[in-house]
Amino acid sequence: QVQLVESGGGLVRAGGSLRLSCAASGNIRSIYTMAWYRQAAGQQRELVAGIASGGSTNYGDSVKGRFTISRDNAKNTMYLQMNSLKPEDTAVYYCNAEIMITGDSVLYNYWGQGTQVTVSS
């Protein structure tokens, strides 16, 4: 019923920029926290950045000062602006959201399919 779709990934040189988008669709009553996670090959999935419905944010230490998370509640979409990219940012980036379905009051955690970001040196 609910779908999260990431877009904007690709191949970029070190020092370059990318902007990721995550669009939520379906029978959505409300979206609470949204977040970006990433998983590099052979590594554990880690939090990149999170944003609450009111706009408060938090970032992983490795991306502070380089990445900016934002959201457009009217569009059920969040974004991740990634600047000064480094090869170590190479990973699959996943969208995550806590969502209530219309007609319900149960909070559920949804994941997108992921989008590949590759940063060359």
Side-chain angles (χ1 to χ4, degrees), residues 16-121:
S17 298
L18 285 173
R19 184 174 69 250
L20 306 183
S21 299
C22 171
S25 62
N27 198 15
I28 297 170
R29 177 180 181 179
S30 57
I31 303 177
Y32 293 82
T33 301
M34 302 186 78
W36 290 99
Y37 289 77
R38 69 185 182 188
Q39 188 167 22
Q43 304 297 311
Q44 192 168 304
R45 187 172 297 188
E46 65 175 351
L47 176 69
V48 177
I51 184 166
S53 59
S56 62
T57 60
N58 65 290
Y59 295 89
D61 289 340
S62 64
V63 308
K64 287 179 180 176
R66 300 188 297 121
F67 292 8
T68 302
I69 189 171
S70 61
R71 65 191 286 173
D72 186 335
N73 291 332
K75 293 184 170 68
N76 289 335
T77 301
M78 74 164 174
Y79 308 92
L80 185 68
Q81 179 65 45
M82 304 186 293
N83 298 326
S84 302
L85 282 162
K86 305 173 181 179
E88 49 263 48
D89 295 318
T90 295
V92 177
Y93 284 71
Y94 295 93
C95 178
N96 174 266
E98 299 288 338
I99 297 175
M100 282 189 181
I101 303 299
T102 55
D104 205 351
S105 61
V106 177
L107 187 66
Y108 192 80
N109 190 302
Y110 292 88
W111 290 91
Q113 78 288 341
T115 185
Q116 177 71 47
V117 171
T118 302
V119 184
S120 62
S121 60

